[in-house]
Amino acid sequence: MAQKIEYPMFSPHPKAKLYKRFTGDMPIKVDDNQIIQIEMDGRIIEVADGGIITIQNNRYVFVDKFRWIESTSKDSQSEQPLDGLIVSNSYVTIRTNSLKEFDCGDIVELPKESRLGGLWTIEDGATVDYVYTPKQVQTYQYLPLSKVAR
């Protein structure tokens, strides 16, 4: 039986937005009112017009909002993915009580009101914490994020 209740969490920030990438395993239909229906995990998600973003030639669709708070402070550093090309990037890890499934490569839009506002991509290394009371109950997910260059 899947857990249905999120563990309580206080956050001083407005909710963040989660965007999932369009892929071949996500059937998409557009109805007459410009509402997009996406089937995920056997359930249909409806997205109003404006819930789609394009980043680096990939399209992402808005899925849902979730509460979050910083788990680590923002770290900025330069890296060299190709010889001679030095690129600066920022990293941060956030904590959320959401039960949503976060995948590597998903886009998270942190609100402009926070000091971390903007688009971030989820990196490898996400972890989930549980408590046992006596069943296993998910408490928090920790998501490592990398700033999206636009």
Side-chain angles (χ1 to χ4, degrees):
M1 183 163 134
Q3 179 179 339
K4 294 182 176 138
I5 298 174
E6 291 180 349
Y7 200 79
M9 177 177 139
F10 167 77
S11 175
H13 309 295
K15 290 185 175 184
K17 295 180 181 178
L18 173 65
Y19 292 87
K20 293 248 181 218
R21 193 168 131 195
F22 284 136
T23 59
D25 60 352
M26 291 173 64
I28 300 167
K29 299 186 294 187
V30 179
D31 70 7
D32 296 336
N33 298 329
Q34 293 298 322
I35 294 180
I36 300 167
Q37 296 179 343
I38 300 172
E39 186 175 323
M40 283 182 52
D41 304 326
R43 61 190 175 100
I44 292 182
I45 297 172
E46 291 189 354
V47 179
D49 192 27
I52 297 173
I53 59 175
T54 302
I55 297 172
Q56 297 171 353
N57 296 328
N58 291 316
R59 291 200 172 206
Y60 294 82
V61 65
F62 170 76
V63 175
D64 208 352
K65 292 184 175 185
F66 64 94
R67 292 190 176 283
W68 66 281
I69 194 164
E70 300 96 335
S71 179
T72 64
S73 60
K74 181 179 172 182
D75 180 30
S76 297
Q77 58 187 338
S78 296
E79 53 188 42
Q80 193 169 9
L82 301 171
D83 282 343
L85 176 68
I86 296 177
V87 179
S88 63
N89 204 350
S90 299
Y91 301 93
V92 69
T93 300
I94 62 170
R95 178 177 75 178
T96 179
N97 65 335
S98 177
L99 299 176
K100 294 169 192 48
E101 184 176 326
F102 296 93
D103 297 314
C104 184
D106 288 350
I107 300 290
V108 173
E109 182 180 2
L110 299 180
K112 302 271 188 258
E113 294 84 12
S114 72
R115 62 183 183 81
L116 299 173
L119 297 173
W120 298 77
T121 184
I122 299 176
E123 298 291 319
D124 265 343
T127 58
V128 180
D129 281 352
Y130 298 97
V131 294
Y132 296 89
T133 62
K135 294 181 181 179
Q136 179 177 317
V137 176
Q138 177 184 315
T139 55
Y140 299 111
Q141 295 187 60
Y142 294 86
L143 307 173
L145 303 178
S146 173
K147 189 76 171 170
V148 172
R150 292 192 90 177

